[in-house]
Amino acid sequence: MILKRIAIDMDEVMADTIHKSLLVFNEKFNMHVTREDLTGAKLDHLFPHLEEEFNQIYNHPDFFRDLPVMENCRETILELSEHYEIVIATAAMEVPGSFQAKYEWLKEHFEFLDDQYFVFCGNKSVIQADFLIDDNIYQLNSFKNQGILYTAEHNINEEYNVRCNDWFEIKKYFMDSLAQL
């Protein structure tokens, strides 16, 4: 039997990048930006004049190394991997300094996944998968098959035909799909 393939984005889907971004940003600039402040926007959109500083923060070799795993993500991906082929597709080309830290993070928290299925890319339209779970509309809009928008602060006002708010909803979506086969 050929397994269907799920491609999963890393940042803001598997890894809580916002948590660390806010910690580093608030400390560096002595500010008090909260998750609620990011409703409908990304941090760099709120402070476009700090673009160079954001690039330095995100390209620091260790920035992506100690991100928190999203709640219920690991357990859900482990269960899904019994029924689907899992590919991790992260747009690391946007942050070239992140490769090593992202790879190490994935190996630490998702050791059960085959690292031959870790894809460090830019535009995810190159990914050959049946599904793509991502928090960025622009990635989903260029993807050829079924996209699933993972809810994050910045995309809360976006419309998309399939949206999951957390990993419980993702698990239900895919397990219900299995039951229909």
Side-chain angles (χ1 to χ4, degrees), residues 116-173:
Q116 296 296 306
Y117 289 81
F118 296 169
V119 180
F120 296 88
C121 59
N123 186 322
K124 294 180 188 166
S125 67
V126 301
I127 301 298
Q128 301 238 346
D130 300 290
F131 305 94
L132 172 62
I133 304 168
D134 208 301
D135 64 305
N136 284 306
I137 289 285
Y138 71 88
Q139 293 289 6
L140 295 170
N141 285 340
S142 66
F143 183 68
K144 295 173 188 77
N145 292 316
Q146 180 62 60
I148 299 165
L149 180 63
Y150 188 88
T151 299
E153 285 82 0
H154 67 88
N155 69 30
I156 202 74
N157 298 321
E158 300 283 346
E159 295 289 327
Y160 198 74
N161 61 336
V162 179
R163 178 189 284 270
C164 288
N165 295 308
D166 56 37
W167 279 95
F168 283 127
E169 289 184 16
I170 288 174
K171 179 179 174 179
K172 180 175 177 7
Y173 178 88

Side-chain angles (χ1 to χ4, degrees), residues 18 24 28 67 93 98 104 161 166-167:
I18 293 300
V24 172
K28 181 174 179 123
L67 300 175
M93 300 310 289
S98 69
E104 290 172 359
N161 61 336
D166 56 37
W167 279 95

Side-chain angles (χ1 to χ4, degrees), residues 65-66 74 103-111:
R65 184 60 187 92
D66 62 351
R74 186 181 189 290
Y103 177 78
E104 290 172 359
W105 185 90
L106 286 165
K107 290 299 285 179
E108 176 184 346
H109 298 288
F110 297 87
E111 74 288 345

Side-chain angles (χ1 to χ4, degrees), residues 4-17:
K4 291 210 176 229
R5 181 179 289 171
I6 305 170
I8 306 171
D9 177 42
M10 184 177 153
D11 301 316
E12 287 313 298
V13 176
M14 297 172 68
D16 190 354
T17 314

Side-chain angles (χ1 to χ4, degrees), residues 24 27 29-30 45 48 53 58 67-68 76 93 99 122 135 145 149-150 162 174:
V24 172
E27 182 178 315
F29 296 103
N30 195 28
H45 296 156
E53 287 85 349
Y58 295 133
L67 300 175
T76 300
M93 300 310 289
F99 289 109
D135 64 305
N145 292 316
L149 180 63
Y150 188 88
V162 179
F174 284 104

Side-chain angles (χ1 to χ4, degrees), residues 78-123:
L78 178 61
E79 186 171 344
L80 290 177
S81 72
E82 296 171 12
H83 307 283
Y84 294 89
E85 190 174 68
I86 303 296
V87 173
I88 306 306
T90 182
M93 300 310 289
E94 296 171 1
V95 187
S98 69
F99 289 109
Q100 187 68 31
K102 284 186 172 197
Y103 177 78
E104 290 172 359
W105 185 90
L106 286 165
K107 290 299 285 179
E108 176 184 346
H109 298 288
F110 297 87
E111 74 288 345
F112 55 88
L113 294 176
D114 183 347
D115 63 1
Q116 296 296 306
Y117 289 81
F118 296 169
V119 180
F120 296 88
C121 59
N123 186 322

